Amino acid sequence: MMRLPEIYEWGQKVKDNVRKVIVGKDQVIDHMLVALLASGHVLLEDVPGTGKTMLAKALACSLDTRFSRVQFTPDLLPTDVSGVNYFDMKRAEFEFRPGPVFTNILLADEINRATPRTQSILLECMEERQVTIDGVTHALEQPFLVIATQNPLESQGTFPLPEAQLDRFMLKVGLGYPGKEEGKEIMRRFRSEDPLAALRPVADASQVRAAQAGYTAVTVHDDLYDYIVTLAEQSRSDVDLLSGVSPRGCLAMLRAVQARAVLAGRDYVSPDDVKALAVPVWAHRVLPARRGNPFERVAEAAITRIVAQTAVPTESTASIEGRR
């Protein structure tokens, strides 16, 4: 088990490595590391060409772990993801052939293009870290991180993720377009070669497991528990939301803010951690009272407003408690 300073150094090393490929998206990289450290999963939603798949591959290449990529399509079967029992003619018996889900980092590309039946195979994998095939349960190796991507604009030939599926993702984030200088740097960096091909691992699976076992030592003041629950209660009665943040959402926030704190070099959670992660952790878990177009972020706006209107515990209290 790593100590908190060691986890911080590990996180910085991985982040710096990913930045060799991804330009100007430090906050998104931080979110990915939060999910990895807190044993969560990430849904990357943005328009094509913004670097979603590249980011997932850069993180995978930075870790000496097993990596699988599945291109989700309407004809993809659940067994294409989970694996299947096949009959071995020579031995006259059934043998289990593991699918791509038996890995450490799974890239589910364009997850909303698969049918609900295929999407649902990930529910057990993401929540319980196991797969049940023909009544037999197979445990998944740790760490296990699902990075799913989807395009929010194109709806033809897609199957929107159900609420239960969305709730399994700790964070939902977008990359957005780069700024002018960032766009120029991307072209310079990729002008003559692919930096992803030259990326080498800077951490292995055992280090990830050790970091995951140690990050919960981050102190959470009682006022921060109250702050998280108060925000969740506000969301449940908000006029713009049909359903608010669930207890599972509160637990996801707790794990996420602890991970964010240690990755920032602190041994205590700050109210700013909650405010920074409120939209990525909660917006996809709530149900808007009205459906807007893809450019109208109803849930995000509601969560942002609730955070802005809710009293914040004094940071000095949390800081003092964290340093004890």
Side-chain angles (χ1 to χ4, degrees):
M1 184 174 70
M2 285 188 186
R3 296 181 295 110
L4 296 183
E6 294 173 330
I7 298 175
Y8 169 73
E9 294 176 2
W10 166 85
Q12 288 298 113
K13 186 165 55 175
V14 175
K15 180 178 179 179
D16 290 343
N17 206 51
V18 175
R19 290 173 65 189
K20 294 177 181 178
V21 177
I22 303 300
V23 179
K25 300 299 178 182
D26 287 1
Q27 185 181 63
V28 180
I29 298 173
D30 287 339
H31 290 338
M32 299 286 284
L33 290 175
V34 163
L36 175 64
L37 184 58
S39 300
H41 307 286
V42 183
L43 177 61
L44 296 176
E45 183 181 81
D46 218 318
V47 297
T50 51
K52 302 185 296 295
T53 302
M54 183 68 72
L55 173 60
K57 288 182 176 180
L59 178 61
C61 289
S62 298
L63 304 172
D64 188 13
T65 55
R66 297 168 62 193
F67 172 72
S68 296
R69 178 180 182 271
V70 179
Q71 185 66 48
F72 278 62
T73 56
D75 61 346
L76 191 73
L77 298 176
T79 52
D80 293 332
V81 180
S82 63
V84 64
N85 286 316
Y86 76 99
F87 189 73
D88 189 328
M89 297 292 292
K90 292 183 178 180
R91 296 189 298 175
E93 62 182 21
F94 283 94
E95 182 176 331
F96 178 63
R97 180 175 293 172
V101 76
F102 286 86
T103 186
N104 295 121
I105 299 180
L106 174 66
L107 172 57
D109 228 349
E110 297 188 282
I111 188 174
N112 57 332
R113 290 199 174 277
T115 62
R117 182 186 176 195
T118 301
Q119 292 176 7
S120 66
I121 198 67
L122 289 178
L123 283 173
E124 182 182 15
C125 303
M126 295 169 67
E127 184 66 21
E128 301 177 37
R129 268 66 175 182
Q130 65 182 31
V131 180
T132 302
I133 306 293
D134 294 337
V136 179
T137 299
H138 305 269
L140 298 177
E141 183 181 345
Q142 300 303 317
F144 178 66
L145 169 68
V146 174
I147 304 173
T149 71
Q150 67 176 10
N151 175 6
L153 302 183
E154 191 175 1
S155 59
Q156 187 174 2
T158 62
F159 303 86
L161 296 179
E163 302 302 322
Q165 185 81 55
L166 286 171
D167 200 43
R168 264 59 176 186
F169 288 99
M170 174 173 280
L171 298 103
K172 177 184 174 183
V173 297
L175 278 75
Y177 290 117
K180 183 176 181 179
E181 292 302 319
E182 293 169 350
K184 291 165 60 178
E185 177 58 27
I186 290 173
M187 289 189 288
R188 293 191 193 101
R189 192 172 295 186
F190 285 81
R191 180 179 63 87
S192 58
E193 60 182 14
D194 182 1
L196 183 64
L199 209 61
R200 295 293 178 265
V202 295
D204 58 25
S206 63
Q207 291 174 323
V208 176
R209 289 191 292 267
Q212 290 175 336
Y215 85 98
T216 54
V218 171
T219 299
V220 184
H221 190 271
D222 193 63
D223 287 347
L224 268 300
Y225 290 123
D226 184 73
Y227 183 46
I228 293 172
V229 172
T230 298
L231 289 172
E233 289 179 339
Q234 292 290 339
S235 72
R236 296 165 193 167
S237 59
D238 192 85
V239 295
D240 289 335
L241 301 176
L242 286 179
S243 65
V245 177
S246 66
R248 192 207 303 260
C250 291
L251 290 174
M253 175 63 77
L254 174 63
R255 297 196 303 269
V257 294
Q258 285 184 292
R260 185 180 190 270
V262 68
L263 290 171
R266 287 180 279 109
D267 62 354
Y268 63 92
V269 173
S270 162
D272 286 339
D273 294 320
V274 180
K275 293 165 69 174
L277 291 175
V279 170
V281 174
W282 280 347
H284 64 287
R285 300 173 186 271
V286 300
L287 185 63
R290 60 184 178 85
R291 295 288 184 177
N293 60 56
F295 298 101
E296 188 179 9
R297 305 288 188 174
V298 179
E300 288 88 337
I303 294 296
T304 300
R305 175 174 46 76
I306 290 170
V307 170
Q309 294 176 352
T310 303
V312 180
T314 58
E315 187 172 351
S316 58
T317 302
S319 301
I320 292 171
E321 180 69 19
R323 294 192 179 99
R324 288 179 181 174

